[in-house]
Amino acid sequence: METRGPAGDGVRCMIMRGGTSKGAYFLREELPADAGERDELLLGIMGSPDPRQIDGIGGAHPLTSKVAVVSASERPGIDVDYLFLQVVVDQPIVTDQQNCGNLLAAIGPFAVERGIVTVDEADEASVRIYMVNTDSVATATFPVAEGLPDYTGDTRIDGVPGTAAAIRLDFEDVAGGSCGALLPTGNVVDTIEGVEVTLIDNGMPVVVMRAADVGITGYETPAELEADQRLRAQLEAIRLAAGPIMRLGDVAETTVPKLTLVAPPKSGGSVSTRTFIPHRCHEAIGVLGAVSVATAALLPGSPAASVAELDAPADGTTQQVVCEHPTGEFTAAVSVRVGDDGAIAVERAGIVRTARKLMDGTAFPRDH
């Protein structure tokens, strides 16, 4: 018997791993134009709200309940527009209040797969991507063969088994994309609920604080941290207070800001991290979250700088900041310059990720 839902015979969908996340990728024109109808459809496709997402294609975790909506761009010099949507697992919520740098890693390959970008004779593709959520641009560079993405390679990223082709992501003007400024309060250090924090947005709004200041070492496992109800209550109080002063408003029902607890590195990196996204502890660290944390570590006097092991940054030079996380490490290349007026500007931010096409077909939503 044919399965049918509110979208009739279903919707074309490609499931891809991008970085350490997994999501459903759609062409914008193949989804409802009305945002409310679109979100209702996506809830039905992903299987939310349900802790197991058993009646949909979601993976029962925030990192695997993600959607990318892609279209050919009409902006000069831009190839595709990318809208990221977080589908909440256990609530009927679809939000566009953040970006996702992990799913971003597969946007260029998806654009080639769907024929938005053609690379018939090339062995490398360079796709310029407008990130709708944060009004910013990234360029993805990756290998191709016979007109299609080549996903095979020897690049390894922690949190993903095996190796794959390197996808280089270079970000332009991501600072303040959600909060309006790199440091939305204008301060390198603020104090919330008695805890020193850096409120920063270099592609992802993050509250960065020393792990020791909230009573932990910063080396605990995600399961141990999620089981610590005192810690989770304290972090949520800090997050709720941070939202308005980060220009994000009431964040009680949103997935930003994230919270990163930092400690001295243990495995030869620059800084150890534990990140809440915002209520589950990440097994790794998000792409743009890592860029924001790495930037915070380069700001003298910040909580992250106080525990990081880095050479003194030369003004305007690119620093490799290695963020240790529960399943390995993540390296972000960041260049920060301080102007004569004391203003802090990010001149470059870049990372390397991998991605892979997992499935291409038709998704059938359940009827809400």
Side-chain angles (χ1 to χ4, degrees):
M1 182 176 68
E2 183 180 27
T3 301
R4 297 179 66 86
D9 293 334
V11 183
R12 189 163 61 144
C13 170
M14 186 178 292
I15 297 178
M16 305 188 77
R17 175 186 63 77
T20 54
S21 291
K22 182 167 59 178
Y25 289 66
F26 300 90
L27 291 177
R28 185 182 64 188
E29 60 265 29
E30 295 178 354
L31 293 173
D34 178 80
E37 293 179 13
R38 177 202 67 201
D39 292 352
E40 193 75 7
L41 174 66
L42 294 176
L43 288 168
I45 287 174
M46 301 302 282
S48 293
D50 173 45
R52 295 187 299 159
Q53 290 183 320
I54 196 65
D55 203 26
I57 66 172
H61 191 281
L63 298 181
T64 55
S65 186
K66 297 183 172 186
V67 168
V69 181
V70 183
S71 60
S73 184
E74 297 179 355
R75 295 173 172 81
I78 303 298
D79 297 305
V80 298
D81 292 348
Y82 156 50
L83 173 68
F84 170 70
L85 298 172
Q86 179 73 59
V87 181
V88 177
V89 173
D90 56 358
Q91 299 179 63
I93 295 173
V94 179
T95 175
D96 63 359
Q97 295 304 299
Q98 67 179 76
N99 207 340
C100 178
N102 273 306
L103 287 203
L104 172 66
I107 294 297
F110 176 76
V112 173
E113 294 272 6
R114 285 289 188 255
I116 300 175
V117 175
T118 56
V119 289
D120 293 337
E121 303 299 325
D123 58 8
E124 184 178 77
S126 184
V127 179
R128 285 175 56 77
I129 303 162
Y130 175 73
M131 297 180 286
V132 177
N133 305 71
T134 51
D135 186 29
S136 53
V137 174
T139 300
T141 305
F142 53 94
V144 294
E146 298 181 356
L148 289 173
D150 184 356
Y151 298 103
T152 61
D154 57 7
T155 297
R156 182 185 302 277
I157 62 172
D158 289 324
V160 177
T163 63
I167 299 175
R168 193 177 77 245
L169 298 172
D170 292 298
F171 299 101
E172 304 172 24
D173 301 323
V174 294
S178 296
C179 300
L182 176 70
L183 300 171
T185 66
N187 304 319
V188 171
V189 182
D190 289 283
T191 300
I192 301 179
E193 299 285 319
V195 177
E196 287 190 343
V197 301
T198 296
L199 307 177
I200 190 165
D201 174 16
N202 194 19
M204 178 66 69
V206 184
V207 181
V208 184
M209 69 199 87
R210 282 178 290 261
D213 290 349
V214 290
I216 64 170
T217 66
Y219 310 121
E220 294 84 353
T221 67
E224 289 171 333
L225 295 176
E226 288 188 2
D228 188 337
Q229 296 304 316
R230 177 208 61 80
L231 173 67
R232 293 181 67 175
Q234 183 180 15
L235 292 180
E236 183 64 0
I238 291 171
R239 194 180 78 87
L240 293 177
I245 61 176
M246 293 183 76
R247 310 178 196 175
L248 297 171
D250 182 356
V251 297
E253 301 297 327
T254 72
T255 57
V256 288
K258 314 299 188 187
L259 305 107
T260 296
L261 315 176
V262 294
K266 290 190 72 176
S267 303
S270 306
V271 62
S272 179
T273 67
R274 294 295 184 269
T275 299
F276 280 79
I277 57 173
H279 303 121
R280 299 289 300 273
C281 186
H282 205 314
E283 293 287 342
I285 187 171
V287 169
L288 292 168
V291 172
S292 288
V293 173
T295 306
L298 296 177
L299 303 181
S302 72
S306 73
V307 298
E309 294 182 5
L310 285 164
D311 293 333
D315 199 32
T317 61
T318 299
Q319 290 276 98
Q320 302 286 329
V321 181
V322 181
C323 297
E324 299 176 356
H325 56 70
T327 52
E329 62 183 38
F330 187 111
T331 300
V334 182
S335 174
V336 174
R337 183 178 295 278
V338 180
D340 293 338
D341 59 355
I344 298 170
V346 177
E347 296 194 331
R348 177 178 182 265
I351 52 94
V352 171
R353 294 273 85 186
T354 66
R356 191 169 77 86
K357 178 172 70 172
L358 306 179
M359 187 283 297
D360 192 9
T362 303
F364 296 95
R366 65 183 173 90
D367 191 348
H368 265 282

